[in-house]
Amino acid sequence: MASMSVWTFLQAMCLVASLSMAVPENDDDEIEVGYGPNYLNEIIDEDQMEETPTPSPKPCKSPALTKWDKLFTMLENSQMKENMLLQYTDDIIKVELQNLRGEMLQFVAQYGGSCAFAVESSVRRAGTQTETRLQNVLDRVREVSADQYAQHDTALQQLLAASVNQAARLEQLENGCLISGGGGMTSQAKRHLMQEVTETENGGRLEKTLATISSELQTIREQLTLYTRSTFANRLPSGCDTGLLFPTRSSIAHVEVSPKRPFQTNAVTICLWVKPTQVLNKTVLFSYSTTGNAYELQLVLNRQSVFFTVNGEAYLVEASGAVQEGQWVHICAVWSSHQGIASLWVNGQQATSSPGVAEGHELRSKGSILLGQEYGRYFKHLSNPDTFDEEHAFTGKMTGVNMWDHVLDSKEISQQARLDGSGCGIRGNVVAWGVSNIEPKGGVKLIY
């Protein structure tokens, strides 16, 4: 109804605009008004008045309507028409609604019974299907619960068997620790653990017993770890029986090594175990000097890197990040004059390799081998041969020093680098650890 009123109003406005354009705009025109004849102010005799005929009256003329009068008239007419249309529309809607209501009542009266029966049947069918599905779900849940219970029971039985096996292992560990002089479970604790396992089998207190076993196993594991660390910290790697301890950095601390036989070669392999206490910019591990060249061979540390030089420092190879202070590390240096191939091996793995290192060079014989120091510029000072550069001195532990006059393959090198193996049983043909003569000096000690 509101939209119809707006539409009617728009039609009226369009009509007004068209009329305003059709009416001429003569605002200055004057409306002529007819007046009667002019009467003079004269006194007329009665005779003349009687003789003069009375003029007949003229009909009244309506004044001319202006454009605004016409506009207001049109607006009134449009408003009346709008009201009539609205009233007619209301009457039609009322009649249609009454007809629709009557038809709905007739439809409900005719088909209400059949619809109710259909709805009831659908509800019953849905209820039956839902009940069937719920029953199937319950059966499935019971089956899954039974399977899970069986699996849990099997797992608990396995845990129980594992706890018995752990008790036997604990007894073996206790015997081993007592033999080695380390800590372990006491006999009373072991009997207590076995008693709890037996009570678990008979009484069913599995969860509490497993928690106790787990706690005691964790305690034993921690004790064994501490014992292993303390034992390893005090023992030598790779099955070595003896080692060298460089307690302090000094200008006189070094070790002289006498080769098994004189050698003159164009290939060499040097292997050793070291555990540095502190590493500076240049810490010497192994050096071989001759009267003609104080730097024939050198194996040195530089912070966390390892350097291997042949025939002077101009020819070297470097392995970065190979050394950590306070940790054992196995280092092998390999060189061959053929193509000058030089390589460094760290813990049995090749860390770096480089060609063109002193290619064609031959190592001279009758030189001196030092551990933990180098002769360097002091090599010719025969009057005071045991004075070295303190900044180059090694501090820490060293063992398993071996030297060959040929190149070892990767398998031979990796066998020596096993921390818990027997690498010290592999000995060089030039320097053999445990066989060659070594002479600690300047406070260096031989440890067992």
Side-chain angles (χ1 to χ4, degrees):
M1 293 174 66
S3 61
M4 185 178 297
S5 175
V6 172
W7 175 249
T8 306
F9 179 74
L10 291 175
Q11 288 179 345
M13 292 300 296
C14 291
L15 182 59
V16 170
S18 61
L19 289 175
S20 62
M21 294 175 63
V23 177
E25 298 180 358
N26 295 324
D27 296 337
D28 297 333
D29 296 343
E30 295 181 358
I31 301 175
E32 297 180 357
V33 181
Y35 295 96
N38 297 327
Y39 294 94
L40 300 176
N41 193 10
E42 297 178 353
I43 300 173
I44 303 173
D45 295 337
E46 293 181 1
D47 295 338
Q48 291 178 353
M49 292 179 61
E50 290 178 357
E51 294 178 356
T52 303
T54 302
S56 61
K58 296 181 179 180
C60 182
K61 295 182 179 180
S62 61
L65 297 177
T66 64
K67 61 180 181 180
W68 296 109
D69 295 332
K70 295 178 181 180
L71 178 60
F72 289 132
T73 301
M74 292 175 63
L75 288 175
E76 291 176 358
N77 293 337
S78 64
Q79 186 68 32
M80 291 176 62
K81 291 179 180 179
E82 180 182 356
N83 293 334
M84 292 174 63
L85 290 173
L86 293 176
Q87 184 64 34
Y88 180 70
T89 303
D90 292 339
D91 294 340
I92 291 176
I93 292 174
K94 290 179 181 179
V95 172
E96 293 295 331
L97 289 176
Q98 291 177 357
N99 294 336
L100 181 60
R101 183 173 180 276
E103 292 178 359
M104 290 295 295
L105 293 175
Q106 184 179 359
F107 177 79
V108 171
Q110 183 176 359
Y111 298 102
S114 59
C115 289
F117 178 76
V119 171
E120 184 178 0
S121 300
S122 300
V123 171
R124 288 179 181 177
R125 191 181 303 107
T128 304
Q129 294 177 356
T130 303
E131 184 177 359
T132 303
R133 291 180 180 177
L134 287 176
Q135 187 63 34
N136 294 334
V137 171
L138 289 175
D139 294 340
R140 180 59 180 167
V141 168
R142 292 191 185 96
E143 293 176 359
V144 173
S145 299
D147 295 339
Q148 290 181 351
Y149 179 78
Q151 293 176 0
H152 290 168
D153 184 65
T154 303
L156 291 177
Q157 293 296 332
Q158 293 176 355
L159 288 174
L160 184 59
S163 65
V164 177
N165 294 333
Q166 289 295 337
R169 293 180 181 179
L170 289 176
E171 184 177 1
Q172 296 177 359
L173 288 174
E174 179 187 3
N175 295 333
C177 291
L178 291 176
I179 293 174
S180 302
M185 289 185 63
T186 62
S187 299
Q188 182 179 0
K190 182 180 69 175
R191 288 195 299 272
H192 178 66
L193 179 61
M194 294 301 297
Q195 182 180 359
E196 287 191 353
V197 172
T198 304
E199 290 177 356
T200 301
E201 294 176 349
N202 298 329
R205 296 181 298 172
L206 182 60
E207 183 178 358
K208 181 178 179 181
T209 304
L210 290 177
T212 304
I213 292 173
S214 177
S215 177
E216 293 189 0
L217 287 176
Q218 183 65 27
T219 302
I220 294 172
R221 186 180 294 108
E222 293 175 356
Q223 292 177 355
L224 289 177
T225 301
L226 293 176
Y227 173 71
T228 302
R229 289 179 179 177
S230 61
T231 302
F232 179 73
N234 295 323
R235 71 178 180 90
L236 300 173
S238 195
C240 295
D241 296 329
T242 59
L244 296 171
L245 174 63
F246 297 77
T248 58
R249 179 176 288 108
S250 69
S251 61
I252 58 175
H254 67 283
V255 176
E256 295 181 359
V257 180
S258 300
K260 293 173 58 178
R261 58 181 178 83
F263 69 95
Q264 186 169 352
T265 180
N266 54 7
V268 68
T269 300
I270 304 168
C271 293
L272 50 79
W273 283 94
V274 291
K275 182 182 179 181
T277 302
Q278 185 182 25
V279 180
L280 301 181
N281 291 333
K282 183 179 180 180
T283 300
V284 180
L285 300 178
F286 181 99
S287 67
Y288 175 66
S289 304
T290 63
T291 54
N293 187 355
Y295 303 100
E296 281 283 355
L297 293 174
Q298 277 199 329
L299 187 61
V300 301
L301 302 180
N302 186 343
R303 300 300 178 182
Q304 296 182 350
S305 300
V306 182
F307 290 90
F308 176 46
T309 66
V310 182
N311 193 26
E313 297 181 353
Y315 304 99
L316 61 85
V317 289
E318 175 186 1
S320 302
V323 180
Q324 297 290 334
E325 294 180 350
Q327 296 183 10
W328 282 106
V329 59
H330 187 261
I331 302 172
C332 281
V334 181
W335 169 79
S336 173
S337 65
H338 179 64
Q339 296 182 353
I341 302 297
S343 60
L344 280 171
W345 297 68
V346 178
N347 293 328
Q349 302 294 325
Q350 184 173 333
T352 183
S353 178
S354 177
V357 177
E359 182 177 357
H361 181 69
E362 186 178 23
L363 296 177
R364 298 180 182 181
S365 61
K366 297 181 181 180
S368 298
I369 298 177
L370 293 183
L371 301 181
Q373 261 297 353
E374 66 174 4
Y375 279 113
R377 63 179 183 271
Y378 300 105
F379 184 73
K380 296 182 179 180
H381 295 178
L382 300 178
S383 60
N384 191 12
D386 294 339
T387 301
F388 304 97
D389 192 339
E390 182 178 344
E391 295 297 323
H392 297 167
F394 171 77
T395 57
K397 295 180 180 180
M398 184 182 300
T399 188
V401 182
N402 291 281
M403 180 177 176
W404 292 263
D405 59 358
H406 58 273
V407 174
L408 297 185
D409 58 25
S410 59
K411 183 177 180 180
E412 292 173 319
I413 293 176
S414 61
Q415 287 178 349
Q416 301 178 59
R418 294 183 58 185
L419 191 64
D420 56 349
S422 57
C424 272
I426 303 175
R427 295 180 173 88
N429 63 345
V430 177
V431 175
W433 185 255
V435 176
S436 298
N437 182 34
I438 60 174
E439 187 177 354
K441 294 184 177 181
V444 181
K445 299 178 181 180
L446 189 64
I447 57 176
Y448 299 92

